[in-house]
Amino acid sequence: MKIHDENAVDKELFEELKIDCSKCSGLCCTALYFSKLDGFPEDKEAGKPCVNLQSDFRCKIHAELPRRKMKGCLGYDCFGAGQKVTQTIYPHTTWSTENNPQQIFEVFLIVFQLHQILYYLAEAKTILPARNLWYDIEVLITENKSICSAPTKDILTTDINDYRKRANECLKKVSNLVKLNYSLDKKEHEKNYMGKAFKGKNFHGADFTMTLLIAAKFNGCNFNGANFLGADTRDTDFSDADLSEAVYLTQGQVNSARGNSATKLPINLTHPITWC
Ligand code: SF4
């Protein structure tokens, strides 16, 4: 079943929401707390630069991240918030030249959350079974862009909880409309997927929202209409699988997973260099 309308894809917006470390000042590698256990190089507190971040904001071990199994770094996706904050919101300064960089980090964290929502909304506005909601989605997109373009003092004082709640309700309505097109075997979706093999199965309309799919083997499976919102896809094997009509799948989830050149992805996502 056709889920996405390719003609409705806002290529420019998806481009803006693509992580581009070359235009960032290493914000995620500095502003965030992270731990070795989650696939980062060290246990680090928020606001402290990673040991591998160089003074030019490039990662010293970038080319070695896959070999060193830095799953946290490979799977992280700022949805373009890093370059937005560095290039547009603070074009004349960076956290490294500020006496008190905390404000930049706080703005980054807010813009990151807004861009993440924006990404899902941009996809929702291409989903054919939810065509009747496209106008409401566009209104939410416009509101999101307006908060991100506001002066920093307004970004910092905006209560985004109300906005997030309304956007989440809308995204939920969209996924429910997708689900209506499939009759699901309930048992199939109560399974524990971690580490298990499901070669060649159909997961049409499956709801993987916030599900642990770690190291599951989905070789050759088809995910038409399957919802991946917040699913943990670390080391999930999608070799030869068809994800082209999957819903709410992100580049970060794809980067965390395994796959090959035969894996089919939605139009807005790209194959990681490690998938050969
Ligand atoms: S290892 Fe590189 S990509 Fe990972 S957090 Fe450190 S600087 Fe960033």
Side-chain angles (χ1 to χ4, degrees):
M1 176 186 176
K2 191 93 185 119
I3 296 292
H4 299 94
D5 179 353
E6 283 164 22
N7 296 322
V9 173
D10 185 339
K11 291 192 181 128
E12 208 177 306
L13 179 54
F14 276 118
E15 210 45 50
E16 276 174 41
L17 298 173
K18 255 186 204 159
I19 188 167
D20 185 349
C21 302
S22 70
K23 293 182 178 157
C24 180
S25 51
L27 280 166
C28 63
C29 310
T30 308
L32 304 176
Y33 150 87
F34 55 62
S35 76
K36 230 174 161 174
L37 263 179
D38 290 328
F40 291 96
E42 57 171 345
D43 294 336
K44 182 187 89 57
E45 65 197 50
K48 181 183 154 224
C50 168
V51 281
N52 295 315
L53 187 68
Q54 302 176 132
S55 56
D56 62 357
F57 305 127
R58 303 281 80 86
C59 170
K60 195 163 62 187
I61 61 164
H62 182 73
E64 298 163 36
L65 291 175
R67 187 181 60 76
R68 294 193 184 205
K69 299 197 183 341
M70 294 291 155
K71 287 280 171 190
C73 305
L74 290 166
Y76 181 76
D77 187 355
C78 73
F79 298 95
Q83 65 258 30
K84 171 86 178 177
V85 172
T86 304
Q87 303 287 329
T88 312
I89 302 179
Y90 292 98
H92 306 299
T93 185
T94 66
W95 60 267
S96 63
T97 48
E98 287 285 302
N99 284 335
N100 179 11
Q102 197 51 38
Q103 191 197 71
I104 298 180
F105 297 149
E106 280 170 28
V107 169
F108 168 66
L109 293 175
I110 294 168
V111 174
F112 162 66
Q113 293 174 64
L114 287 163
H115 271 214
Q116 188 178 40
I117 296 168
L118 191 53
Y119 172 84
Y120 290 125
L121 290 171
E123 186 195 343
K125 210 170 80 75
T126 71
I127 292 178
L128 288 162
R131 189 186 280 277
N132 288 344
L133 293 174
W134 284 9
Y135 175 78
D136 297 348
I137 296 167
E138 185 57 42
V139 170
L140 285 163
I141 288 175
T142 304
E143 186 179 348
N144 189 312
K145 287 179 180 173
S146 148
I147 304 171
C148 290
S149 310
T152 50
K153 67 173 176 34
D154 294 340
I155 296 177
L156 288 164
T157 51
T158 301
D159 177 7
I160 63 163
N161 290 330
D162 172 63
Y163 173 77
R164 187 195 290 111
K165 192 166 167 268
R166 285 183 285 118
N168 283 346
E169 277 164 11
C170 181
L171 293 172
K172 181 92 186 142
K173 277 187 205 164
V174 172
S175 53
N176 284 341
L177 286 166
V178 172
K179 234 188 244 177
L180 283 179
N181 293 279
Y182 304 90
S183 57
L184 296 176
D185 173 357
K186 202 159 181 282
K187 272 189 202 151
E188 185 68 47
H189 301 290
E190 285 170 2
K191 275 182 182 165
N192 171 14
Y193 296 94
M194 279 173 59
K196 293 189 176 170
F198 301 92
K199 194 174 175 189
K201 279 199 170 183
N202 280 337
F203 286 94
H204 293 177
D207 188 356
F208 296 121
T209 303
M210 304 307 286
T211 303
L212 296 175
L213 302 176
I214 299 169
K217 293 173 184 61
F218 288 126
N219 310 61
C221 294
N222 189 299
F223 293 94
N224 191 293
N227 180 352
F228 283 86
L229 188 79
D232 190 335
T233 57
R234 279 176 291 168
D235 283 328
T236 310
D237 195 345
F238 290 117
S239 298
D240 303 313
D242 188 348
L243 289 154
S244 58
E245 294 289 1
V247 173
Y248 299 154
L249 187 69
T250 67
Q251 191 64 51
Q253 286 171 317
V254 169
N255 293 350
S256 302
R258 292 166 191 258
N260 60 12
S261 55
T263 307
K264 290 186 186 152
L265 293 174
I267 192 170
N268 52 309
L269 300 179
T270 52
H271 286 74
I273 45 165
T274 48
W275 290 16
C276 44

